Amino acid sequence: MLIRIRSKDGNFRFEMAPTADISELLAKILETTVDGDPASITISNQPRGNETKASQLKRRNLESLGLKHGDLIFVTYKSQAQEPAPQETASSSSVPDSAAPAIPAGTDGKRPWETVQEDPVDVYWRTQDGKIPRERNAQFCRHGAKGMCDYCMPLEPYDAAHHTENQIKHLSYHAYLRKIAPKSSGSASSLLPPLNPLSYRVKVPCPVQAHPPWPGGICTACQPSAITLQSQPFRMVDHLEFASASIIDRFLKAWRMTGLQRFGFLIGHYEPYEKAPMGIKAVVEAIYEPPQEGELDGLSLGVPWEDEPRIRELSKHAATPLTVVGYVFTDLSPKEDDPSKNVYKRHPGSFYLSCLEAIFAATLQGANPTPSKSSPDGKFASRLVTAVLTGTVDGAVEVAAYQVSEQAAAMVDADMLEASVDPGIVRVKEDDRSTDSARYVPDVFFRYKNEYGLEVSKTAKPCFPVEYLLVNVSNGTPQNPTPMFHSAEFSIENRPGLEDQTIEKVLRSLQQLGAPDIPPSTHSNGGDSHKRVELAKWLSDWHLVAFLGTTGLIPEADIHLMMRTASLPNLLEDVKLLDPLLATEGWQTLMTFARESAPAPAAGAPSGSADHDIDPDIMAQIRAQEAAAGGPPGGSSAAGGIRICPHCTFENEHGGSDCEVCGLPLS
């Protein structure tokens, strides 16, 4: 309804809902005043007399006050005393609702977006024009080979026709930036961050401070606007790539052996993705599995994970710095009639991500924002990808990748969403002012096509489909894989009883590779190239290096060097790259333990004997045969004065004539 206002500043009109709170009307009145004092505002239905202080009408709506469409309200107020205090200036009622809060500069005088360090892939795309090249059109181009016209000139990276033709559903992040903030001549407006991070929280304190802070009061100046759910036009990551299929196979091994679901964080890096204009792909080099309790139909784990700071710091020291680019979990159930195939449960007739999984994804994305020079606070959205290993229509296993929208992350941050019993439906919570964690939920709507093909709007309270929160991400593996790590044989962490990580296993492998005998420098012995290649291949295992960092045997600096060495792209082609690592104190300490843990040679065996590698039962038969034939060359006594019993093959060390075990004569 229309409410008219008359004050000493003039006449004003406001469109208000009959159920609107009086504080909303008060906030609009304050916008029309010149430094008005909220506590002194009075309203009346007459030009003189019958004035009532607005502060006495709190928590009453316009309808309950008897106001109708077209009513005229007379307003009086007193101006505040002008004070230079910063707090008073900030709370002045002359500040409009839409004014953005001032962003404080750092100690060096620079603002957040000016000091943020972006990912290398963002730095790369900011130096490119992103134009989509086109070849000369033989039918319409009438110019020379070096000419250009509307039919062959490059397209902008956000060109809608190109995206439709190539079935690209979302703009890439940098194409979206180029669309909302095209490169210009360098005017002042073009230098300001074009992005505006979403927030559905109540502004505390209120910009106009005309009422007690939330939950004591709320007005149009501090309450979030109504939300209309819509498809996000861009995505932070366009493609998820596993550097090698063996990464997925190793992750699936635990499920294949136990039938229990598994969860892991994706360790990788970001690269340009040329199949989408100005695209970005997340390349997965390893999967770290945190402590968890798997079940047949789900799993339990703690977030944040305890080892996260160490893993993030260690991954930064790879030859190409790594980080957490997402997470993956299994949702696999064998068919009852054919256990070799899996149930097809995630499809258009069911759900893609359940409501609980979408809320979990929004929580993790909100906790892992992307550094950005295009956002006022230096961070925007998240590149964390959710990957699901699930059954296909033919019973095989496939990877499905998603992100949730920024609307989803902002709604979860404002505590507005909760899971429902239907996995494809998410619930909107109700307002709650009774607790310390008070919650205000604005109106939420979503649009859909009805049975007549018309697009209509519908309220999302109390629930709406999860699909309105999802952003699809393509995925795959390269045709010619070149993974950063060359081995995936070492045991994976946190698989107790299934794969145990032990230092004994590491030392045993080092002995088998002959690592203690490899000199620190290739100049010391030129004949150990083969051994060095085998050692380099074994060492180039992310899980191995991560485990060695927990043993305490190797200093942290040497572990960082080991991670860098293990991830060098040409490690197997150039064995000299191992030299800096083999010369470190930590590596020499590890070699010392490897030598001391080597098994002692069998008693009585000559130097260089390999008897300890022979099965004990077979060795006993050999010795019995030797004893029956008169003993080994040189008599029935073995080296060192040991005499072997021809009856029980026991090795007798005393000088008697009878066996210590069976008592029979030794000859």
Side-chain angles (χ1 to χ4, degrees):
M1 62 183 181
L2 177 68
I3 299 296
R4 296 179 295 159
I5 301 296
R6 179 176 296 172
S7 69
K8 61 183 180 181
D9 299 302
N11 297 323
F12 306 90
R13 297 183 178 186
F14 302 115
E15 287 287 343
M16 306 287 292
T19 57
D21 191 272
I22 186 64
S23 62
E24 299 181 29
L25 179 60
L26 178 60
K28 292 185 176 294
I29 293 173
L30 282 170
E31 294 177 12
T32 68
T33 66
V34 179
D35 200 23
D37 183 2
S40 67
I41 293 179
T42 64
I43 61 176
S44 174
N45 58 350
Q46 303 173 10
R48 294 287 186 273
N50 202 27
E51 289 89 1
T52 302
K53 281 194 173 185
S55 58
Q56 298 177 358
L57 303 176
K58 290 181 178 179
R59 299 185 180 178
R60 296 188 61 181
N61 58 40
L62 303 184
E63 192 175 38
S64 66
L65 293 175
L67 294 176
K68 301 183 296 296
H69 178 71
D71 281 357
L72 177 63
I73 298 176
F74 298 88
V75 176
T76 60
Y77 68 91
K78 295 180 180 179
S79 297
Q80 299 183 30
Q82 298 295 328
E83 297 182 4
Q87 187 175 8
E88 289 294 324
T89 302
S91 62
S92 172
S93 60
S94 62
V95 178
D97 293 352
S98 59
I103 300 175
T107 55
D108 56 357
K110 294 185 177 181
R111 291 163 293 189
W113 69 85
E114 297 173 332
T115 59
V116 68
Q117 182 64 42
E118 291 187 314
D119 190 275
V121 72
D122 295 308
V123 176
Y124 169 79
W125 279 125
R126 288 190 184 277
T127 62
Q128 308 297 313
D129 61 12
K131 295 293 183 71
I132 305 171
R134 291 193 295 174
E135 296 181 357
R136 188 174 183 273
N137 191 307
Q139 181 178 1
F140 297 106
C141 292
R142 298 290 184 248
H143 51 76
K146 295 184 178 181
M148 185 177 294
C149 66
D150 290 343
Y151 296 103
C152 61
M153 66 183 300
L155 300 174
E156 293 292 344
Y158 48 82
D159 184 78
H162 175 83
H163 281 71
T164 301
E165 181 181 350
N166 292 273
Q167 299 181 348
I168 303 175
K169 187 176 181 181
H170 300 274
L171 292 175
S172 65
Y173 169 63
H174 283 276
Y176 177 70
L177 286 179
R178 195 63 56 85
K179 180 178 181 180
I180 62 176
K183 287 188 175 181
S184 59
S185 58
S187 61
S189 60
S190 67
L191 300 178
L192 296 176
L195 298 174
N196 187 23
L198 290 178
S199 177
Y200 297 138
R201 288 179 175 269
V202 177
K203 296 177 183 177
V204 179
C206 176
V208 298
Q209 295 188 355
H211 54 77
W214 171 261
I218 194 171
C219 67
T220 55
C222 60
Q223 72 180 21
S225 302
I227 303 171
T228 299
L229 298 173
Q230 53 190 348
S231 176
Q232 185 167 285
F234 67 94
R235 56 188 175 188
M236 299 298 293
V237 174
D238 301 277
H239 185 73
L240 177 68
E241 178 179 285
F242 290 88
S244 171
S246 63
I247 298 174
I248 303 175
D249 291 338
R250 288 287 285 121
F251 179 70
L252 277 173
K253 182 179 178 181
W255 172 80
R256 292 190 179 109
M257 297 181 69
T258 64
L260 305 180
Q261 309 303 331
R262 294 296 294 178
F263 178 97
F265 286 100
L266 305 177
I267 309 297
H269 56 95
Y270 300 104
E271 293 181 0
Y273 181 57
E274 302 298 343
K275 292 186 178 181
M278 304 188 82
I280 294 175
K281 66 179 178 180
V283 181
V284 180
E285 302 287 355
I287 300 177
Y288 174 83
E289 301 181 20
Q292 56 194 280
E293 292 292 335
E295 301 175 10
L296 292 176
D297 58 350
L299 54 89
S300 303
L301 72 156
V303 176
W305 33 299
E306 183 179 353
D307 216 19
E308 180 176 4
R310 184 185 71 87
I311 293 299
R312 285 185 178 272
E313 179 61 27
L314 177 63
S315 299
K316 289 179 182 178
H317 291 82
T320 298
L322 303 177
T323 185
V324 179
V325 300
Y327 62 91
V328 60
F329 61 90
T330 61
D331 183 23
L332 297 165
S333 302
K335 290 184 177 181
E336 294 183 1
D337 55 344
D338 187 358
S340 64
K341 296 183 178 181
N342 298 290
V343 177
Y344 180 48
K345 62 177 69 174
R346 296 175 185 255
H347 50 78
S350 177
F351 65 94
Y352 297 105
L353 280 187
S354 71
C355 51
L356 191 61
E357 293 163 356
I359 293 173
F360 179 74
T363 302
L364 290 188
Q365 285 186 206
N368 294 271
T370 302
S372 175
K373 292 182 179 294
S374 299
S375 176
D377 57 1
K379 52 188 178 182
F380 180 77
S382 175
R383 290 206 173 106
L384 213 65
V385 179
T386 299
V388 188
L389 291 173
T390 186
T392 63
V393 65
D394 57 357
V397 178
E398 72 170 356
V399 181
Y402 307 93
Q403 283 193 300
V404 294
S405 65
E406 286 309 291
Q407 286 187 321
M411 294 176 76
V412 170
D413 178 66
D415 192 29
M416 294 170 53
L417 301 181
E418 62 183 356
S420 69
V421 294
D422 186 342
I425 299 295
V426 63
R427 282 183 51 84
V428 179
K429 293 183 178 180
E430 299 179 354
D431 287 353
D432 182 10
R433 305 191 186 191
S434 60
T435 62
D436 293 337
S437 57
R439 176 175 58 250
Y440 176 80
V441 181
D443 292 330
V444 183
F445 303 93
F446 67 95
R447 302 182 68 83
Y448 72 101
K449 287 187 177 181
N450 61 12
E451 63 272 20
Y452 304 107
L454 301 176
E455 193 173 76
V456 296
S457 181
K458 181 180 180 180
T459 180
K461 293 183 177 180
C463 58
F464 63 90
V466 178
E467 283 84 348
Y468 283 85
L469 305 179
L470 302 184
V471 177
N472 292 343
V473 178
S474 62
N475 71 89
T477 56
Q479 292 182 350
N480 300 308
T482 55
M484 180 179 294
F485 299 96
H486 301 283
S487 176
E489 299 301 322
F490 191 73
S491 301
I492 293 179
E493 60 283 332
N494 298 311
R495 292 185 176 183
L498 193 62
E499 295 184 30
D500 295 321
Q501 292 184 331
T502 62
I503 189 62
E504 290 79 12
K505 182 176 182 179
V506 174
L507 299 178
R508 187 162 55 250
S509 297
L510 289 170
Q511 295 160 10
Q512 294 172 353
L513 292 167
D517 300 325
I518 298 178
S521 174
T522 52
H523 299 291
S524 302
N525 185 357
D528 60 357
S529 297
H530 176 71
K531 287 186 177 181
R532 283 176 174 266
V533 171
E534 293 300 318
L535 177 62
K537 184 176 181 181
W538 171 82
L539 185 64
S540 185
D541 190 315
W542 188 91
H543 298 280
L544 170 63
V545 180
F547 166 71
L548 289 175
T550 66
T551 61
L553 298 177
I554 305 176
E556 185 177 11
D558 293 349
I559 285 292
H560 292 167
L561 176 60
M562 184 180 295
M563 174 60 75
R564 173 173 174 77
T565 304
S567 57
L568 290 171
N570 55 340
L571 178 62
L572 302 186
E573 289 75 25
D574 187 359
V575 294
K576 295 180 180 179
L577 296 174
L578 279 176
D579 288 356
L581 174 63
L582 301 188
T584 60
E585 179 182 352
W587 182 262
Q588 295 303 319
T589 301
L590 192 62
M591 293 304 99
T592 300
F593 278 93
R595 294 187 189 97
E596 294 179 351
S597 62
S607 177
S609 172
D611 287 354
H612 60 279
D613 294 330
I614 303 177
D615 186 273
D617 294 335
I618 298 176
M619 193 64 197
Q621 295 177 14
I622 293 173
R623 289 173 175 168
Q625 292 173 0
E626 291 176 345
S636 61
S637 296
I642 297 176
R643 302 182 66 191
I644 301 173
C645 177
H647 308 286
C648 66
T649 72
F650 180 75
E651 298 176 357
N652 295 264
E653 298 183 5
H654 68 82
S657 59
D658 297 332
C659 178
E660 297 177 0
V661 176
C662 64
L664 296 176
L666 292 176
S667 58

